[in-house]
Amino acid sequence: MQILKEKIMLEKIAKNEKFHVYYKQWITVYKEGAIREVTMAKYIMSHQWLVKLIPDLKLEDLTRISYQQLLNNYAEEHERQTTMDFHHQLKGAILDAVDEGLVERDPTRKAIIKGKHPRDKKPKYLNQFELRTMLSNLKLDQEINWDWFILLVAKTGMRFSEALALTPKDFDFPHQMLSVNKTWNYKGNGGFSPTKNHSSVRKIQLDWQTVIQFSELVKELPQEQPIFVAPGEKIYNSTINNMLARVCEKSEVPVISIHGLRHTHASLLLFAGVSIASVARRLGHASMTTTQKTYLHIIQELENKDVDLVMRSLSGLS
């Protein structure tokens, strides 16, 4: 009943309505309850930028020029990829407005995406020697601590929220497997949440050393309670990143984030010759395309090595 009322509200919007008002109602009707909280927060942020940049722009005045000017103004404070994301979040609503006759022509056609020059990127991953050095400086006590968390993410390539949600029940020690089937809502009020997508539900093979270590660590812990998060504890990504940063500095290796450990894990597998398909499954990517885009630079580097290998092989056939 509530959704029906909201759709009627959307249909009653006139051409002289302000665009940001239409966009807010469009989000409510089409996105609320249909997307993850994290994604919804991005749509709400886009709406806030509309209020800031074009508070008085009406639907009937939404042209290619006015839309391009909106993107240009947004791009003055954001990098190109962020501007592209902003454009994509607005485009769905605008195309619906075109279909409803509220906007005469598609103003997003041939839009030019600009943006600030990207900041110098921090290293995203460690090489094998750097990772070993960093791991050797972890304080792996007899009880669970955040250094064990860092080790497990490095060994599995799990996302931060996936690792936070792990319980003793998720370990299948006899078969050396770890089940990833939920996440921890650390950005909200805590508690278990669904995985990022269907492909994120997976089983990760563990090495025997990790199996032995964690079988001892979790044997006395409640089977269905998070291993790393205490009841009522609020976890911040920045806190754990700062812990990892201190270990990296002590180890005299590049400082990376927890997410950088995921990149490190994938990079080492690719350099070891593991197929893209296997890496994609282990990371829980929705498709191999995601893996290829994320690790294109590594794949290209491996292809160059393959070319050298092919040439050496052919030269020996004379």
Side-chain angles (χ1 to χ4, degrees):
M1 190 65 180
Q2 180 62 29
I3 294 176
L4 180 60
K5 287 181 180 178
E6 290 168 348
K7 286 190 175 180
I8 292 173
M9 285 171 56
L10 197 56
E11 289 170 358
K12 287 184 177 179
I13 286 182
K15 290 184 177 181
N16 61 356
E17 183 62 89
K18 293 177 180 178
F19 175 52
H20 70 80
V21 173
Y22 165 79
Y23 186 69
K24 179 65 181 297
Q25 292 193 20
W26 181 85
I27 294 173
T28 302
V29 172
Y30 289 104
K31 298 300 178 181
E32 200 168 82
I35 56 178
R36 298 168 72 238
E37 288 183 21
V38 174
T39 308
M40 187 63 181
K42 293 177 182 178
Y43 276 94
I44 293 173
M45 182 63 72
S46 292
H47 172 256
Q48 291 172 352
W49 274 101
L50 291 181
V51 174
K52 178 180 179 180
L53 296 175
I54 50 167
D56 301 316
L57 183 68
K58 298 176 181 178
L59 283 166
E60 61 187 357
D61 297 327
L62 196 54
T63 63
R64 284 186 61 197
I65 291 178
S66 63
Y67 183 71
Q68 185 64 60
Q69 188 59 57
L70 166 64
L71 291 182
N72 291 350
N73 292 342
Y74 183 86
E76 288 180 3
E77 299 186 45
H78 299 86
E79 293 182 13
R80 187 179 184 279
Q81 184 56 56
T82 309
T83 306
M84 178 70 79
D85 295 339
F86 179 67
H87 164 62
H88 285 155
Q89 290 195 331
L90 299 183
K91 188 171 182 177
I94 292 172
L95 292 180
D96 281 349
V98 173
D99 288 344
E100 296 297 328
L102 299 173
V103 177
E104 192 171 335
R105 296 187 185 87
D106 177 13
T108 68
R109 190 173 67 87
K110 295 184 178 180
I112 306 299
I113 308 300
K114 305 175 184 179
K116 292 197 306 181
H117 185 73
R119 292 171 294 178
D120 292 335
K121 302 294 183 182
K122 294 181 180 179
K124 285 189 174 181
Y125 64 92
L126 304 177
N127 61 37
Q128 189 168 2
F129 173 77
E130 291 167 340
L131 179 62
R132 283 181 176 174
T133 303
M134 187 274 289
L135 294 180
S136 69
N137 281 299
L138 293 176
K139 293 182 179 179
L140 303 175
D141 300 328
Q142 298 300 311
E143 296 182 354
I144 284 289
N145 59 25
W146 288 109
D147 281 19
W148 282 112
F149 180 89
I150 291 170
L151 175 70
L152 191 60
V153 172
K155 289 285 191 84
T156 62
M158 284 187 292
R159 298 178 178 93
F160 180 66
S161 58
E162 293 172 343
L164 287 178
L166 287 178
T167 67
K169 189 178 179 180
D170 295 323
F171 286 89
D172 180 358
F173 294 118
H175 296 96
Q176 294 185 217
M177 299 293 284
L178 178 61
S179 293
V180 178
N181 49 44
K182 56 193 175 301
T183 61
W184 188 257
N185 184 20
Y186 70 94
K187 291 184 178 180
N189 297 319
F192 295 121
S193 294
T195 54
K196 185 175 183 179
N197 50 54
H198 178 71
S199 301
S200 297
V201 177
R202 63 199 187 277
K203 292 184 182 296
I204 301 175
Q205 189 85 36
L206 299 174
D207 64 276
W208 64 268
Q209 188 177 23
T210 302
V211 166
I212 293 173
Q213 291 170 324
F214 274 84
S215 62
E216 286 297 314
L217 286 167
V218 307
K219 65 181 181 181
E220 302 296 334
L221 299 180
Q223 284 296 296
E224 298 187 3
Q225 293 295 315
I227 294 169
F228 296 102
V229 184
E233 183 181 12
K234 177 68 176 175
I235 303 298
Y236 296 95
N237 185 273
S238 59
T239 304
I240 315 304
N241 280 336
N242 289 337
M243 291 180 184
L244 175 57
R246 287 194 288 272
V247 179
C248 289
E249 289 168 354
K250 179 182 178 182
S251 307
E252 298 183 346
V253 301
V255 173
I256 62 169
S257 64
I258 290 293
H259 196 70
L261 286 177
R262 178 171 162 85
H263 288 311
T264 297
H265 182 80
S267 302
L268 294 182
L269 293 181
L270 289 170
F271 277 121
V274 178
S275 71
I276 295 175
S278 295
V279 173
R281 283 195 298 271
R282 191 168 174 91
L283 295 180
H285 283 164
S287 71
M288 283 191 292
T289 303
T290 304
T291 314
Q292 288 170 323
K293 287 181 178 179
T294 307
Y295 302 103
L296 180 62
H297 60 295
I298 295 173
I299 294 169
Q300 288 174 336
E301 189 173 339
L302 291 172
E303 285 176 347
N304 291 336
K305 290 183 179 180
D306 287 344
V307 170
D308 292 339
L309 182 60
V310 169
M311 290 301 100
R312 285 200 302 271
S313 298
L314 292 177
S315 64
L317 295 178
S318 55

